[in-house]
Amino acid sequence: GGRGGRGGGAAASEADAPPPPPNGSGGGSAAPPAGDGGSAAPTPSPLQNLGISYKRQHNGPRFRRFEGTVQDLFEATIQAGLADRMFRLLVMKPLQTEKLEGLEVKSLSGGELQRVAIVICLGTPAQVYLIDEPSAGLDCEQRITVAQVIKRWVVSHSGKTAFVIEHDFVMASAMSDRIVVYTGQPGIECTATTPVGLVEGFNTFLEMLNVTFRRDPENLRPRINKRNSAMDRQQKANGQFYLFDLVDED
């Protein structure tokens, strides 16, 4: 979904989902280091008291204040996760964190920090996981892996709920069960719709933008149809602004 323009969408992977938190609810992740406390354990987020684990959109400035290695950061934030064999198997192994654990946190690249932030978010016990742009800084294969990890750990294994803000359509469609579409004026007011199915949510959002997508038959990635092209007109006439199945080009 999008942040700006006429509206936006939030992907949600759910199992017995509670209502979303009120608009404007704030707080920080239980993971990122706070203040100038060096290698001291990060201050828990107020959201954690509400049963919420939150991964912020931007992690770099906060994490790079931590004096120590990735392993030190994990031990300071997610000891329960480190002791959980299934967490290591379903989250840490596919995200290849063992290659990062000996590195200084302040030396990590943006993509490496993103993987660390996702691991800490998912390793924080919660009823609801708020995950803002998990695709940022990751390559295509890593994005698919992260989508699978989030859905497998939060929904399939833990039976919890994840609300994910995401711009990558491949990642959003891979991890989502339902979509929340937002309408309104950016920075002024917005209205969140009732969660709807994947097809309805994507079509509603793209219809607002007057854009149609098809899937590339070779790499399966979404492609924007040229405005007023034959494919664009056909999909709009059929009410299919996003095609989830492969398009036969013959």
Side-chain angles (χ1 to χ4, degrees):
R3 291 182 178 279
R6 297 170 56 192
S13 292
E14 308 181 78
D16 299 324
N23 286 344
S25 60
S29 168
D36 298 318
S39 59
T43 303
S45 162
L47 287 177
Q48 191 172 351
N49 296 328
L50 301 176
I52 297 172
S53 180
Y54 174 39
K55 190 202 79 67
R56 294 173 177 266
Q57 179 186 8
H58 302 294
N59 305 293
R62 292 165 58 82
F63 276 102
R64 288 196 172 97
R65 290 202 296 267
F66 186 84
E67 296 288 343
T69 65
V70 171
Q71 180 66 29
D72 294 332
L73 180 59
F74 285 164
E75 291 177 354
T77 54
I78 55 167
Q79 291 186 5
L82 294 178
D84 187 331
R85 183 179 66 85
M86 292 303 295
F87 182 78
R88 285 185 170 275
L89 178 64
L90 299 179
V91 177
M92 300 184 74
K93 183 177 180 179
L95 294 183
Q96 301 181 330
T97 57
E98 71 278 2
K99 298 180 180 180
L100 306 177
E101 290 174 358
L103 302 179
E104 294 289 323
V105 174
K106 62 176 58 179
S107 73
L108 298 180
S109 68
E112 290 168 340
L113 279 172
Q114 184 70 270
R115 285 151 57 199
V116 168
I118 291 167
V119 167
I120 293 176
C121 176
L122 297 182
T124 302
Q127 294 297 315
V128 176
Y129 294 82
L130 303 182
I131 304 175
D132 196 347
E133 289 196 51
S135 68
L138 304 180
D139 62 32
C140 294
E141 292 184 2
Q142 289 174 331
R143 292 181 181 193
I144 295 300
T145 298
V146 165
Q148 293 170 339
V149 164
I150 291 173
K151 191 164 187 178
R152 185 181 299 129
W153 176 255
V154 175
V155 180
S156 302
H157 178 77
S158 305
K160 308 303 183 183
T161 299
F163 285 91
V164 182
I165 308 299
E166 186 50 67
H167 294 171
D168 185 300
F169 269 55
V170 172
M171 193 168 181
S173 61
M175 78 173 79
S176 306
D177 297 317
R178 287 183 266 178
I179 302 290
V180 177
V181 179
Y182 292 84
T183 60
Q185 295 177 282
I188 299 176
E189 57 87 19
C190 82
T191 301
T193 65
T194 300
V196 297
L198 209 59
V199 174
E200 181 180 350
F202 273 92
N203 279 321
T204 298
F205 175 62
L206 291 175
E207 185 175 9
M208 292 164 55
L209 301 179
N210 195 30
V211 171
T212 59
F213 276 72
R214 69 187 188 280
R215 276 191 187 273
D216 188 295
E218 295 183 3
N219 59 25
L220 307 185
R221 291 191 62 81
R223 298 297 183 203
I224 298 177
N225 293 318
K226 184 178 180 180
R227 184 67 59 86
N228 294 323
S229 66
M231 183 66 73
D232 181 64
R233 295 196 305 270
Q234 178 183 344
Q235 287 184 220
K236 288 176 178 176
N238 294 334
Q240 296 178 310
F241 286 77
Y242 185 87
L243 290 180
F244 283 83
D245 296 323
L246 290 179
V247 177
D248 186 355
E249 296 290 330
D250 295 330

